[in-house]
Amino acid sequence: MKSDSGRPRAPTGAGREDRLNAPGPVAGVPGPGRWLVFEYVPVGLFSLKSSRATSAVGITLLVPTPYAVKMAFVDAAFRAGFPDALCGSLLESLSRVEIRLSPPARAVITRTFVKIRQESRQGDPLRPYGPNVAYREFVHFAGRWRWAFDLGLLEDHIAEVLVECAPHVNYVGKRGSFVQYDGVYRLPNLDAAFTEPTNGPAEWTIPPRAHIAELDDFGPDATLDVLSSFSPADAKAGRHRVFVRTVIPLGLVNTGPGFREYSMWV
Amino acid sequence: MGTVFSVGISARLVLDMHSLNNEGTEGNQQLTRMVHIIDHAGQRAVVNAISGDMFKHIFVEHLVPLLEEAGEPLSPGAKILDADRINALNPAFVDFCEKEQSFTVNGRTEKRMAMESEILDKMLQDCSLTDIAGALVTRRRAVGRKSTVEFGWVVGLPDRTVTEQYFHVKYAPEGRAAATGADTVAGRQAIFHRPASSGIYALVCNLDVCRIGANDVTRKAAVPAASRKARAVAAVWALAATLLKPAGAQRNTQNPHIVACEGAVAVSSSSLPAPVFSPLSDRYADEVGRAAEILNAMRPGSVEVRQFRTLSEGMEILANIAESLEVPGA
């Protein structure tokens, strides 16, 4: 089903709410609950540069951004063999879906320097890159990830694609930041262990231990043609990619030379 | 073995007296790489670690001669282990990316710049190392080949890994400044401290066999089926060699003692990824098996897990995979 603008139309109406609040399955996952929650176990050290980071000083976020998570599912859809058109529809459907993340309860960041290759200023076409060092951060997590997708604005067949793609996601953020899929279920409500966007319709609160980070997400006009890494089109801020101030339920509890430690309040 | 889409290795490697990865030097003291982790009791621990970049480097060092032996093409940069692979010392590739040329599409010849997918085809066809290990081309536009092999940080287990600093002296009869007492015996000796670490290390890696030789843009094979298979076999052998000989830093005098190796090799015969689990947990081998059960419930028979207790058993499993694997779509 497509809207006048050609984008897939969001399911709406009281019937939808009733279905999500019933115990019957949606996308094969029993209810009740409007939140489709995927669980992953962290396997490798995580790193994802903040959008404000420079290439020389790459501070990391403590959670993957909604953009990174959604793109991981689109990538998984391609790898799972879904047709290109359906992968494009998945991306467009996800552009209006809120996702919220519950990080593992403990995290410690290692601050370090690594060797990188950087475009050389010499302009030698036969030696385009040169060696350099850059500040990088890596996070070790203890606990589990929970990634929750709002089914309220997601068509059932797209939710089914998500459920099928979830086991194909084996890393998020920098390569080597492995995660292992561990199951799916639905929840009626999310507690304060989940991230909270500050631009949503609901009031938001800051848990006793938390910090605020600016996370990127798909914008309202996001399409595969624009966001594809291999597309020459430019993604425009506000249209194809948006930045949302988000409450992350992990607070700083200790810091010292070479590390910062975070934990949840519980 | 049949068709292999991906291979995942979760292993514990006992390395003694090694210095495979160092951050740099402060004064006359070399600093090894340490990372902070949360241990099984919930306490923060500082442990020695070897970066995934270092293990990728080791993997590539083993892979290049294997690809040469298999007769697979290598770019001038790849042949000399240049980290920029197809980008380095390669004027023909520069011309291909930056100059207009003739392309035949649907029987019609058109003169234009190469498109991203055509540059990626060229990368895979001209350099088997770029195909497997990846590279980023930034000539007027960015075309990235994502590596088909991925390594996580190789992290020491808390309480079971130690790092010590050892005092060394290098005899330097010439070139010492007078301020150091060049005329004396002490002045001709350069004193320095170097680390050596010993312990149990947690290794995770993943090899996407199904992507070898396949263009990420068109998702079609860019090289003949025989080449894809030869490259996949070389990649599996290089993984085995990486475990057998971790060729990192300081091996001229601190070649690591490999005391033991145990773990689990997961092989996926569908697009579901082969599961991996962090060997920092004592339950990692069981967890890999449990993840395989979850995936097999979705697609029966798609994931097989084989555990190994010794390095030789691990080699045997990887050798069996290499000998009988088929690349999907090839």
Side-chain angles (χ1 to χ4, degrees):
Chain A
M1 187 166 52
K2 296 252 180 178
S3 66
D4 295 342
S5 64
R7 299 175 72 83
R9 185 173 291 158
T12 52
R16 179 74 179 165
E17 286 292 320
D18 292 345
R19 249 192 92 210
L20 294 178
N21 291 332
V26 172
V29 182
R34 69 178 291 141
W35 292 97
L36 184 64
V37 182
F38 298 105
E39 273 204 9
Y40 291 89
V41 181
V43 174
L45 302 192
F46 170 82
S47 191
L48 178 59
K49 278 200 308 180
S50 152
S51 54
R52 291 182 187 279
T54 63
S55 66
V57 182
I59 57 166
T60 186
L61 295 164
L62 275 157
V63 294
T65 65
Y67 186 102
V69 171
K70 289 176 180 179
M71 200 52 99
F73 275 81
V74 173
D75 178 56
F78 278 110
R79 283 187 287 112
F82 284 105
D84 289 10
L86 184 56
C87 297
S89 295
L90 171 65
L91 189 149
E92 291 179 17
S93 294
L94 287 175
S95 67
R96 59 167 180 271
V97 170
E98 183 182 350
I99 72 167
R100 293 171 58 187
L101 313 168
S102 174
R106 301 281 304 278
V108 60
I109 296 177
T110 296
R111 311 192 302 201
T112 189
F113 284 87
V114 297
K115 283 173 79 171
I116 60 165
R117 305 291 297 173
Q118 200 164 41
E119 270 190 299
S120 166
R121 292 179 186 170
Q122 311 292 330
D124 180 356
L126 301 183
R127 288 276 182 198
Y129 304 107
N132 207 344
V133 290
Y135 174 81
R136 291 288 183 268
E137 295 184 337
F138 297 90
V139 193
H140 180 257
F141 288 107
R144 282 165 179 269
W145 284 108
R146 287 183 292 165
W147 300 349
F149 290 70
D150 186 358
L151 288 170
L153 292 175
L154 202 57
E155 307 91 331
D156 279 7
H157 75 280
I158 294 291
E160 282 165 18
V161 173
L162 283 181
V163 170
E164 199 162 327
C165 289
H168 290 81
V169 176
N170 65 347
Y171 82 94
V172 68
K174 183 179 162 60
R175 313 266 338 251
S177 304
F178 294 120
V179 292
Q180 179 59 52
Y181 172 77
D182 201 34
V184 59
Y185 50 86
R186 280 165 56 202
L187 285 177
N189 299 298
L190 302 182
D191 60 21
F194 283 82
T195 55
E196 237 181 320
T198 60
N199 67 342
E203 278 191 17
W204 53 276
T205 53
I206 298 187
R209 277 193 205 140
H211 69 280
I212 291 182
E214 200 157 76
L215 306 183
D216 60 354
D217 197 351
F218 288 0
D221 298 333
T223 62
L224 187 59
D225 287 342
V226 175
L227 296 190
S228 166
S229 309
F230 302 106
S231 163
D234 285 333
K236 293 194 167 42
R239 283 187 60 203
H240 308 111
R241 191 175 177 202
V242 293
F243 292 88
V244 181
R245 280 175 181 258
T246 306
V247 180
I248 316 289
L250 287 171
L252 186 68
V253 291
N254 196 0
T255 185
F259 82 95
R260 295 196 307 278
E261 186 180 351
Y262 290 78
S263 84
M264 275 195 192
W265 78 104
V266 284
Chain B
M1 177 54 59
T3 305
V4 173
F5 275 70
S6 60
V7 177
I9 302 178
S10 312
R12 280 184 172 183
L13 198 57
V14 180
L15 298 173
D16 283 350
M17 296 304 287
H18 77 87
S19 186
L20 289 174
N21 199 181
N22 298 300
E23 273 185 348
T25 304
E26 278 184 14
N28 64 349
Q29 184 142 338
Q30 192 167 54
L31 304 174
T32 192
R33 213 166 257 294
M34 305 294 282
V35 296
H36 298 253
I37 62 166
I38 306 289
D39 67 15
H40 57 89
Q43 298 297 311
R44 184 174 52 81
V46 189
V47 289
N48 179 233
I50 307 158
S51 69
D53 302 65
M54 177 55 83
F55 260 78
K56 175 87 179 290
H57 172 78
I58 296 166
F59 170 82
V60 166
E61 206 173 302
H62 290 300
L63 180 61
V64 167
L66 288 164
L67 289 169
E68 265 182 328
E69 283 169 23
E72 289 302 309
L74 291 168
S75 64
K79 276 184 187 161
I80 57 167
L81 293 176
D82 191 300
D84 299 334
R85 312 197 220 290
I86 195 156
N87 289 298
L89 309 169
N90 199 348
F93 184 66
V94 174
D95 287 349
F96 184 83
C97 296
E98 296 190 347
K99 290 185 178 166
E100 280 195 348
Q101 57 216 285
S102 297
F103 291 92
T104 305
V105 181
N106 297 330
R108 289 178 54 195
T109 302
E110 43 192 57
K111 196 167 186 195
R112 56 171 170 76
M113 302 281 287
M115 294 191 295
E116 277 82 354
S117 60
E118 289 159 344
I119 291 175
L120 198 50
D121 269 348
K122 182 83 173 160
M123 291 162 74
L124 306 189
Q125 287 156 1
D126 286 7
C127 183
S128 53
L129 180 64
T130 301
D131 175 14
I132 294 170
L136 177 65
V137 174
T138 50
R139 299 200 173 278
R140 298 198 178 194
R141 76 218 97 169
V143 183
R145 169 61 173 176
K146 288 207 305 184
S147 175
T148 60
V149 66
E150 303 162 312
F151 289 94
W153 278 75
V154 179
V155 183
L157 268 62
D159 303 330
R160 281 177 272 179
T161 308
V162 292
T163 297
E164 291 181 272
Q165 291 285 338
Y166 291 92
F167 176 87
H168 294 265
V169 175
K170 179 186 175 192
Y171 183 59
E174 291 181 346
R176 307 290 297 163
T180 62
D183 295 338
T184 66
V185 173
R188 292 194 293 269
Q189 294 177 13
I191 292 168
F192 59 100
H193 300 265
R194 206 160 59 186
S197 301
S198 302
I200 305 175
Y201 289 81
L203 176 145
V204 283
C205 74
N206 175 63
L207 172 65
D208 282 338
V209 174
C210 60
R211 287 185 50 237
I212 292 175
N215 186 312
D216 296 311
V217 183
T218 61
R219 295 191 303 290
K220 290 180 182 155
V223 297
S227 267
R228 293 185 70 192
K229 181 170 177 174
R231 294 177 189 190
V233 169
V236 175
W237 275 118
L239 269 185
T242 302
L243 292 177
L244 202 61
K245 184 183 173 187
Q250 303 282 8
R251 281 177 307 116
N252 57 341
T253 53
Q254 283 183 217
N255 201 16
H257 291 257
I258 304 169
V259 177
C261 181
E262 61 164 40
V265 178
V267 181
S268 174
S269 56
S270 77
S271 59
L272 289 170
V276 287
F277 202 88
S278 173
L280 286 172
S281 161
D282 289 336
R283 296 176 287 106
Y284 76 99
D286 293 340
E287 291 291 343
V288 172
R290 202 175 69 83
E293 282 172 17
I294 293 173
L295 298 176
N296 282 332
M298 298 178 68
R299 261 182 231 175
S302 62
V303 176
E304 190 182 332
V305 178
R306 297 183 194 173
Q307 294 190 13
F308 57 95
R309 298 272 168 231
T310 63
L311 187 58
S312 56
E313 278 180 27
M315 294 298 107
E316 198 177 343
I317 292 169
L318 290 171
N320 284 339
I321 294 170
E323 277 169 17
S324 57
L325 70 78
E326 294 296 331
V327 178

